[in-house]
Amino acid sequence: MSDKYTQFVSRGFGRDLAGKLGLPRPVELRRYKAGDPLIPGPVLVLGQNGESKGQGAEALAAELVSWGLDVRRNALPKEKLGAIVLVLDEVRTPEDLEVPVLTAARSVRDLAAGGRIISVSRTAESATDPAEAAARQGIDGLVRSLAKELRDGATANGILLGSGAAPQSPGTLGALRFFLSGRSAFVDGQFLSVTSASGRLPGDPEKPLAGKVAVVTGAARGIGAAIARTLHRDGATIVAVDVPAAGDHLAEVANEVKGTALQLDITVPDAGERIIRHALERHGSLDILVHNAGITRDKLLANMDEGRWRSVIAVNIASQLRINDAILASSELPVAPRIVSVASTSGIAGNRGQSNYAASKGGVIGMVRASAPLLEARGGAINAVAPGFIETEMTARIPFVTREVARRLNSLQQGGAPGDVAEAIAFLASDAAGGISGDVLRVCGQNLVGA
Ligand code: NAD
């Protein structure tokens, strides 16, 4: 559903009025459109000395030049910047942060609308020295705070390098490109972890999923339909899965994306085998699996009944575990697919009236972390995306006042679009995210409460 308030206060009289009354002034976000520039202006790359010196910063600056971007080592006075990339992979102590961070600070006001600030640093867990761990963990608080200070649809996010990854690893470059682009419009104050140097940047950045076969569950409507459309736009062949009762809508989506429809209740015991058989028989491959189908049956826990509890667990998590088991056990799949599961910020921060749903979505996160090594051993990967407030039929049913509060309580002061979740999934499903596995990316505009 449309957010008329955001449209009203985005321009002219509405913008002035909201300013005078001190009301939230969300802006229309810079979202990906084919053919648009990657970022709305030059990119300033800062290394540890406040210039693009240092191995990591120099390697990343050279890569960004090869993408055709206008790269700066020093900001020019009054020049609008599309992005600031802070390469902090060599910090050893908290004091090391001062020069690069305060150099970046001088350019924050020059960031264009929809601009990006992206840090590249190493995980605190991979540090052995306490001072080094402190410096690295400090970047987490820094980036999340900065994200809350930015305006006009600008965002701040970070890339964390594990001991097996470098600034120029494919996963780092893939994550950097995702964060810079309009594909990450509703991702704010978040980190992606690159754990290995595997992965591959696509030959054509506009068709990163060319030649892939992607199965999307719950594809008849809402976020699932948006995922099917986005993966198709990026070049994938789609198998759209939903319950028989949603057959008409499912057929419409499958026709629109020139894919095939599979009417299937994912809770049946042989759902995994049927998905594999359909993908192989109709399309010869299964490269991507998106576990999107999900339901809510909200009640306070004190009023919870067996039916509500059981159905939510069955659809949202038990079915995913069973389908993944079938994939891992299959002798027909030469390599395991890249799997992306849809979790929820309710599964991270909790949500009143959603104990069953939050248990299932927290379960998705646990499953993803534990399944990552199993899938990697078979050439695949698994990650989760945790949406916050997304404008769908599900959230349109929330009473007006609760809905209005829920959609404003994030750094971007608005709900996300189904396509925002789909963009994050398309990235995690691509070979460019090859070095990323077992990770959870929130697409929530940086929820201010809880998560
Ligand atoms: P939706 O209700 O609009 O769509 C869900 C789809 O899943 C429907 O088409 C439904 O028929 C299908 N489905 C349900 N049970 C199924 C089953 N047993 N087998 C096959 N298909 C089944 O929901 P949505 O808002 O598009 O949500 C999609 C996913 O995103 C869900 O996992 C949801 O929990 C998650 N999510 C949504 C939001 C939000 O704000 N809308 C926030 C966080 C997470």
Side-chain angles (χ1 to χ4, degrees):
M1 65 172 285
S2 69
D3 177 0
K4 295 207 167 51
Y5 178 82
T6 295
Q7 289 162 13
F8 177 66
V9 300
S10 283
R11 50 183 84 87
F13 171 71
R15 189 181 169 89
D16 295 345
L17 185 69
K20 280 190 191 121
L21 297 176
L23 296 172
R25 278 192 290 172
V27 298
E28 280 181 41
L29 301 180
R30 176 173 70 87
R31 292 193 163 93
Y32 171 80
K33 279 194 230 75
D36 275 2
L38 188 65
I39 45 170
V43 51
L44 176 65
V45 179
L46 297 174
Q48 190 153 327
N49 62 350
E51 293 175 22
S52 50
K53 297 254 174 63
Q55 270 189 3
E58 282 172 48
L60 277 185
E63 183 66 28
L64 294 175
V65 169
S66 79
W67 294 355
L69 299 181
D70 191 357
V71 176
R72 300 267 186 276
R73 282 163 187 268
N74 296 293
L76 303 177
K78 298 211 184 330
E79 181 182 45
K80 280 288 172 202
L81 291 169
I84 302 170
V85 177
L86 261 173
V87 189
L88 304 171
D89 60 321
E90 292 171 18
V91 290
R92 301 271 179 270
T93 70
E95 286 86 355
D96 287 349
L97 294 172
E98 181 178 316
V99 171
V101 170
L102 294 186
T103 307
R106 289 197 287 278
S107 294
V108 167
R109 283 208 174 80
D110 296 326
L111 205 59
R116 303 282 189 258
I117 299 183
I118 299 161
S119 67
V120 180
S121 59
R122 296 206 162 270
T123 55
E125 294 74 29
S126 59
T128 43
D129 174 45
E132 196 165 50
R136 293 179 181 183
Q137 192 65 38
I139 295 166
D140 185 279
L142 164 78
V143 170
R144 291 181 201 274
S145 300
L146 181 53
K148 292 181 177 177
E149 295 177 7
L150 296 178
R151 292 286 171 266
D152 292 332
T155 61
N157 292 291
I159 301 168
L160 295 173
L161 309 178
S163 43
Q168 57 274 45
S169 295
T172 316
L173 300 178
L176 184 59
R177 197 173 181 102
F178 169 72
F179 280 143
L180 287 171
S181 77
R183 293 172 190 258
S184 66
F186 200 59
V187 181
D188 198 9
Q190 305 305 318
F191 286 82
L192 272 167
S193 295
V194 183
T195 49
S196 79
S198 60
R200 187 169 54 84
L201 289 184
D204 177 359
E206 301 277 318
K207 292 279 174 212
L209 303 180
K212 306 280 185 191
V213 176
V215 173
V216 182
T217 68
R221 67 179 203 188
I223 295 172
I227 296 166
R229 291 186 187 107
T230 304
L231 300 188
H232 167 67
R233 179 205 67 194
D234 283 356
T237 300
I238 306 297
V239 176
V241 179
D242 213 302
V243 287
D248 289 348
H249 284 129
L250 183 68
E252 277 171 34
V253 174
N255 287 339
E256 186 192 327
V257 301
K258 301 183 179 62
T260 54
L262 172 60
Q263 291 189 10
L264 174 70
D265 180 337
I266 54 164
T267 61
V268 299
D270 63 344
E273 288 77 7
R274 287 173 61 183
I275 285 172
I276 295 168
R277 202 181 322 132
H278 180 103
L280 293 182
E281 284 177 9
R282 301 292 295 274
H283 306 288
S285 185
L286 199 181
D287 308 297
I288 294 163
L289 170 61
V290 183
H291 286 302
N292 162 76
I295 58 171
T296 49
R297 297 286 182 271
D298 296 356
K299 270 282 177 214
L300 295 177
L301 188 60
N303 302 327
M304 186 65 67
D305 56 77
E306 199 178 83
R308 282 189 172 80
W309 181 269
R310 195 175 284 172
S311 57
V312 167
I313 297 294
V315 175
N316 293 5
I317 177 66
S319 66
Q320 296 193 16
L321 285 162
R322 218 172 11 248
I323 293 169
N324 291 354
D325 282 347
I327 281 174
L328 287 166
S330 171
S331 54
E332 294 168 283
L333 295 173
V335 280
R338 288 192 68 82
I339 300 177
V340 188
S341 260
V342 180
S344 165
T345 51
S346 295
I348 300 170
N351 201 13
R352 189 173 186 274
Q354 288 202 315
S355 56
N356 52 351
Y357 182 74
S360 73
K361 295 298 189 179
V364 166
I365 294 170
M367 171 193 77
V368 160
R369 290 190 180 134
S371 306
L374 306 176
L375 281 145
E376 284 163 45
R378 297 230 16 226
I382 183 166
N383 291 286
V385 162
F389 185 98
I390 305 296
E391 307 281 357
T392 64
E393 288 177 40
M394 195 165 106
T395 47
R397 287 198 296 270
I398 300 173
F400 174 76
V401 174
T402 317
R403 186 173 71 227
E404 206 32 40
V405 171
R407 63 152 63 112
R408 302 289 159 225
L409 277 182
N410 62 63
S411 294
L412 299 171
Q413 301 179 319
Q414 58 193 288
D420 297 331
V421 181
E423 295 286 9
I425 289 172
F427 165 63
L428 289 170
S430 74
D431 290 339
I436 302 173
S437 191
D439 208 2
V440 181
L441 179 64
R442 296 202 307 240
V443 183
C444 66
Q446 196 179 30
N447 276 355
L448 300 182
V449 179

